Amino acid sequence: MHMSEKNNVVEIKNLTKFYGNNKALDNISFGVENGEIMGFLGPNGAGKSTTMNIICGCVSPSSGNVTVGGFDILENPKEVKKRIGYLPEIPPLYLDMTVNEYLNFVYDLKKVPFDREEHLQSVMERVQIYDKKNRLIKNLSKGYKQRVGLAQALVGDPEVLILDEPTVGLDPRQIIEIRNVIKTLGKNRTVILSTHILQEIEAVCDSATIIANGKIVANGTLDEICKSAGGKDEFIIGIIGDSQTAYNVLSSMPNVRRCDISKKEDNVTEFVVEQLSDADILASLTSEMAKNNLAIASLRSVNPTLEEVFIKLTNTDALPLNGGEVESDDSSI
Ligand code: ATP
């Protein structure tokens, strides 16, 4: 958990939000470390947008604290706004402006202290739209419009980027391009990226926070999250000795549901063994092997995938792991 580390650039403590009687956020706490790309994941209505809107100062909290770069969002909203670039799900683009006109407009709005031409050129280069600077935004493809959306978030060089479902509605090539741009941007700033697409988290993020029903149900690196959800009833067991005997012994153990050979290398054969839930085959494994002149060379449990963890923690129907690879305007996938 990155809950109270000094290095956190965004710190959320005991945040609660009511809309009327509806508790959208229920005492949530988490932090985002400086320089990390954090995936913010949760089913529809979990509270992602509410959290992001509170961090950006667009919605006020009912109780709790949020700081960005050490500044409290309520006490120092200007300092917070300076530090945040926000790409809402539908970017606020002015379609009749050229890319350059629009970014100049955003530059003025944000009262950016850097040299205008130099700064806007570097922003456009970072999202690779400099060659489109004189095109009307309405004539750009959806992928390029999204780059303009990212560019407006980058104007002023904020240390934190908040991106709400940045790849929704893009085609597969555009998705890959935008993900690469985000990964590059994340090299020297902090990114919070909300998405429904688990594969996007795996492709882009260092860590994730999973929210369900207004509560944080997991927070950490992807590895930590998968491990903390508990191992599955599956083991990879490497055996030295006759592989057919090993197979026969393993598959006839009373609590073994499934046994497959996964790989054979020199004198070690690896098996994937699934036990019945709540069974403990490990207790009798050593003696069973010894009885049959077999030796255990390696043994490890298989961690659940992010998708399995997500389903377990949020009690929702399966999400498409590769949902982002389909061109779709349906933001509810
Ligand atoms: P989605 O993925 O569908 O965008 P989300 O995780 O972003 O969902 P929120 O939009 O933050 O979820 O919504 C959290 C809860 O708060 C939901 O129950 C939603 O209906 C409610 N809610 C959000 N905005 C408002 C509002 N302006 N007025 C009343 N209720 C709201």
Side-chain angles (χ1 to χ4, degrees):
M1 301 275 271
H2 311 296
M3 297 250 294
S4 54
E5 290 169 32
K6 284 198 191 92
N7 224 6
N8 287 346
V9 63
V10 177
E11 191 78 61
I12 295 177
K13 281 201 185 121
N14 306 114
L15 185 65
T16 294
K17 173 67 184 176
F18 281 96
Y19 293 109
N21 289 330
N22 178 13
K23 201 190 254 187
L25 296 178
D26 187 0
N27 198 28
I28 68 167
S29 299
F30 66 93
V32 189
E33 273 183 44
N34 198 5
E36 99 183 307
I37 305 186
M38 192 205 82
F40 198 30
L41 192 62
N44 286 328
K48 301 181 296 295
S49 300
T50 300
T51 308
M52 290 177 139
N53 280 326
I54 290 176
I55 301 172
C56 296
C58 307
V59 166
S60 60
S62 303
S63 62
N65 293 92
V66 178
T67 57
V68 178
F71 292 98
D72 187 280
I73 51 158
L74 298 178
E75 286 163 18
N76 286 296
K78 275 194 185 150
E79 290 299 326
V80 169
K81 286 214 163 99
K82 253 196 256 175
R83 284 165 174 75
I84 290 183
Y86 184 30
L87 175 65
E89 196 179 329
I90 299 165
L93 302 177
Y94 288 95
L95 300 178
D96 287 321
M97 287 183 179
T98 65
V99 173
N100 194 38
E101 282 165 355
Y102 172 64
L103 294 179
N104 269 282
F105 167 74
V106 176
Y107 175 96
D108 290 333
L109 212 63
K110 291 194 181 178
K111 303 194 176 71
V112 177
F114 315 123
D115 177 80
R116 180 186 292 267
E117 290 235 336
E118 212 176 289
H119 180 60
L120 293 183
Q121 178 170 340
S122 92
V123 163
M124 286 188 267
E125 281 169 353
R126 266 179 276 169
V127 299
Q128 295 153 32
I129 46 163
Y130 189 65
D131 57 334
K132 305 274 188 286
K133 67 187 264 214
N134 294 320
R135 294 272 295 271
L136 287 175
I137 295 175
K138 68 179 171 198
N139 295 335
L140 294 176
S141 70
K142 207 160 178 176
Y144 271 96
K145 284 196 184 104
Q146 197 64 334
R147 287 175 195 228
V148 180
L150 274 172
Q152 65 76 31
L154 283 172
V155 171
D157 221 356
E159 57 188 290
V160 180
L161 276 185
I162 298 192
L163 313 176
D164 200 352
E165 305 199 20
T167 59
V168 161
L170 303 184
D171 71 33
R173 178 196 293 267
Q174 294 168 335
I175 288 175
I176 290 165
E177 286 170 358
I178 289 288
R179 283 182 188 162
N180 285 338
V181 172
I182 294 170
K183 266 200 271 189
T184 309
L185 294 176
K187 286 199 177 126
N188 47 9
R189 54 178 64 68
T190 308
V191 180
I192 302 178
L193 175 154
S194 92
T195 179
H196 287 94
I197 304 159
L198 293 162
Q199 197 193 45
E200 188 143 293
I201 302 266
E202 285 169 334
V204 179
C205 300
D206 309 308
S207 68
T209 295
I210 304 181
I211 184 168
N213 287 323
K215 293 194 168 93
I216 303 297
V217 292
N219 172 237
T221 64
L222 303 189
D223 225 33
E224 284 165 358
I225 289 180
C226 292
K227 282 194 179 131
S228 69
K232 292 199 300 186
D233 292 313
E234 213 171 279
F235 303 93
I236 311 247
I237 306 174
I239 304 284
I240 303 171
D242 181 59
S243 56
Q244 186 60 47
T245 312
Y247 177 81
N248 292 344
V249 173
L250 285 171
S251 50
S252 59
M253 282 174 70
N255 287 321
V256 168
R257 186 201 302 272
R258 179 173 65 91
C259 172
D260 295 310
I261 291 185
S262 69
K263 113 178 150 195
K264 212 170 163 177
E265 239 164 47
D266 301 327
N267 59 341
V268 179
T269 312
E270 265 190 8
F271 296 87
V272 183
V273 177
E274 189 189 343
Q275 66 179 10
L276 298 175
S277 37
D278 299 328
D280 184 9
I281 57 159
L282 300 185
S284 51
L285 186 67
T286 324
S287 58
E288 284 299 313
M289 292 296 117
K291 258 194 260 169
N292 292 281
N293 279 333
L294 300 164
I296 301 171
S298 61
L299 172 64
R300 62 181 197 275
S301 59
V302 177
N303 286 320
T305 62
L306 189 61
E307 184 181 34
E308 288 165 333
V309 174
F310 183 87
I311 304 293
K312 183 172 162 186
L313 295 177
T314 61
N315 288 323
T316 56
D317 295 333
L319 290 186
L321 194 59
N322 62 348
E325 306 310 324
V326 182
E327 184 169 12
S328 168
D329 282 325
D330 180 5
S331 61
S332 66
I333 53 170

